[in-house]
Amino acid sequence: MGDFNLNLQTAEEHLDTDDAEGDVVLGVLDGSTPPEEWVETVARGNVLMLAIDGDLNKLASGFARDVKDMDGQLMHFRKFLVVSPPGVKINTDNL
């Protein structure tokens, strides 16, 4: 086996630091939470997983445009609305 120089002391310097930070926030989209609260949660880098309880178009109308304007994404999946912040792609390749 050949000579292999691996310096673990400096390896961390070469790691990507653009990893997404934030939480996955579970909630219910039923109109009881102010739309501004959902926008603020996404703006802080969190992903929303909201169970839909009612008419999705009506319930999401108060914050969907704001999320899209900040380059976030919204995806209706089964009985949930998934909302991601800028830089976090919702991957639908396996659907």
Side-chain angles (χ1 to χ4, degrees):
M1 194 173 258
D3 203 12
F4 187 57
N5 290 327
L6 178 62
N7 184 349
L8 295 178
Q9 300 280 341
T10 60
E12 190 173 288
E13 295 174 13
H14 300 285
L15 296 176
D16 290 333
T17 58
D18 293 336
D19 294 334
E21 294 184 16
D23 297 319
V24 175
V25 177
L26 304 178
V28 178
L29 183 60
D30 61 2
S32 64
T33 302
E36 300 80 25
E37 188 173 324
W38 296 132
V39 173
E40 289 173 17
T41 301
V42 173
R44 288 192 304 264
N46 298 301
V47 173
L48 298 175
M49 179 69 106
L50 303 174
I52 301 165
D53 186 11
D55 182 307
L56 173 60
N57 291 327
K58 181 178 176 184
L59 294 168
S61 67
F63 65 91
R65 176 61 48 205
D66 291 335
V67 170
K68 287 182 180 183
D69 287 347
M70 73 170 81
D71 292 325
Q73 292 186 318
L74 296 97
M75 173 67 59
H76 181 199
F77 179 68
R78 300 198 178 197
K79 296 182 181 182
F80 295 92
L81 179 64
V82 181
V83 185
S84 67
V88 178
K89 180 183 175 209
I90 298 174
N91 186 324
T92 61
D93 291 348
N94 293 326
L95 296 179

